Amino acid sequence: DIPWDGPLGAVRVGRVNGAFVVNPTHDQQRDSDLDLIYVGNENDVVMYEGAAKEISEADFIAALKFAHDACKPLIAAQRELGRRAGKAKRAIQVFVVPDEILDEAKKLAGDRIVPALLIPGKLAREAAVKAVFDDVGAKLVEKFGAEKVTADVLKEAAYYIQKTGVRSLVLNDRKRLDGRRMVEVRPLYSEVGLLPRAHGSSLFQRGETQALCLATLGTSDDAQEFDSYTGGETKKQFLLHYNFPNYSVGETGRISGPGRREIGHGALAERSVEPMMPSADYPYAVRVTSEILESNGSSSMATVCGATLALMDAGVPLIRPVAGISVGICTESAQDHAIKRYQLLTDIIGWEDAFCDMDCKLAGTERGIT
């Protein structure tokens, strides 16, 4: 009886001898140059993740469309099951900021919020926006009382005003928070050989995102072995691990084992670089670790670039260098949810991810998508 916007369909897509295959077998996967996990609803893509052997942009788009069509029967089956056995959905009381408080908050923030959003530098921008809403919050409490202006009310009002401001800047004024053009990548800096005792090391920086990557080579006995209850691979000779300490985003906290985000980002970068590793008879096991020293947007793609540099510094004969970038989108929809207009954003920063509609990461070589 829980209301939600589902159902979703999910499929795995491979390509064997130039033909797309839905949910390929292990034998088919070994012959496939694509491994795509795709999730969608009836009309839209929700998530995709995977790897490919330098697939072309046109073929990749065709794979997405093929996957979406394959999801539709799965969604239809769930709809039918829901029709036969589903429960009536319960009514949910949605938390909203009272209109009079939101209107007053907008008035108090006034023309101060946009200049604050446009301040260069993540920490300076966050501090300026916080100062605006500290002042707005104090005045709202003074006018309406602390019983009505709770911490949740203030948080929701601030989020709404920030989100509206960011989206208006992008869609109406064609301005980004750090002053870049829509397709501009932040300044790049890279260096190799920082750590002389490591087999390979690199520093890769894009704007306020910085990754220190280390490459270590071992014998084939150092490959990671694991149980595969589905009959697939049982050994990994190339490993990429990603660490995202609290200080990289100016926070403190307990450092323990890797969380879901770190495991996911490490897997994403690993799958981006692995197709360009040397052939199966390469005699070394290779481990790359990425230590994120600073983060404001797509440290996983900085890891792809840094890993490539560290592997080359270690003398690993990569087939071709791999690079990655994030792309966002800001949309305006009609009442039927169809997109009326949109703006793509290259190399998004944290707030563009938070207040816009997509964080799409793509990695590849000069020849195609990995």
Side-chain angles (χ1 to χ4, degrees), residues 127-356:
V129 171
K130 182 179 183 300
V132 171
F133 286 114
D134 284 348
D135 178 59
V136 168
K139 288 176 178 173
L140 287 174
V141 169
E142 192 179 310
K143 179 168 182 177
F144 296 101
E147 302 80 20
K148 286 188 175 181
V149 186
T150 64
D152 286 340
V153 166
L154 276 174
K155 183 179 176 181
E156 283 296 313
Y159 179 82
Y160 176 85
I161 292 169
Q162 279 178 263
K163 183 173 182 177
T164 303
V166 170
R167 296 172 76 87
S168 178
L169 280 169
V170 170
L171 285 172
N172 300 325
D173 302 333
R174 293 184 60 78
K175 287 184 179 178
R176 298 182 66 173
L177 301 190
D178 52 9
R180 279 180 294 151
R181 290 174 292 119
M182 300 298 168
V183 296
E184 188 176 346
V185 176
R186 290 171 292 174
L188 302 177
Y189 173 82
S190 61
E191 189 178 338
V192 295
L194 285 82
L195 303 176
R197 295 296 296 273
H199 291 143
S201 61
S202 73
L203 185 76
F204 181 85
Q205 181 163 344
R206 190 185 61 252
E208 295 172 303
T209 296
Q210 187 182 73
L212 174 66
C213 294
L214 311 170
T216 306
L217 278 66
T219 70
S220 57
D221 288 342
D222 293 317
Q224 182 181 10
E225 296 188 14
F226 50 91
D227 295 329
S228 177
Y229 57 86
T230 61
E233 298 273 84
T234 58
K235 185 183 286 190
K236 279 172 70 172
Q237 207 159 315
F238 172 64
L239 309 167
L240 191 152
H241 296 141
Y242 163 103
N243 297 316
F244 191 86
N246 304 293
Y247 64 73
S248 67
V249 285
E251 297 175 358
T252 59
R254 185 173 63 184
I255 303 224
S256 57
R260 290 184 302 168
R261 183 187 176 282
E262 290 175 292
I263 292 169
H265 278 56
L268 172 65
E270 181 179 289
R271 297 189 76 172
S272 299
V273 177
E274 196 274 334
M276 291 297 102
M277 289 295 288
S279 60
D281 57 0
Y282 187 62
Y284 299 104
V286 181
R287 181 187 185 223
V288 173
T289 61
S290 174
E291 305 290 339
I292 303 304
L293 306 181
E294 179 185 24
S295 179
N296 185 18
S298 204
S299 51
S300 64
M301 295 296 96
T303 295
V304 170
C305 300
T308 295
L309 292 170
L311 289 166
M312 291 195 291
D313 186 47
V316 175
L318 288 175
I319 297 169
R320 269 174 289 283
V322 186
I325 198 69
S326 63
V327 174
I329 194 171
C330 187
T331 63
E332 184 179 290
S333 299
Q335 284 188 330
D336 62 355
H337 302 298
I339 293 175
K340 287 199 299 185
R341 58 176 177 150
Y342 68 91
Q343 178 62 60
L344 290 169
L345 305 163
T346 301
D347 180 23
I348 56 175
I349 61 175
W351 278 9
E352 290 172 338
D353 180 4
F355 297 124
C356 294

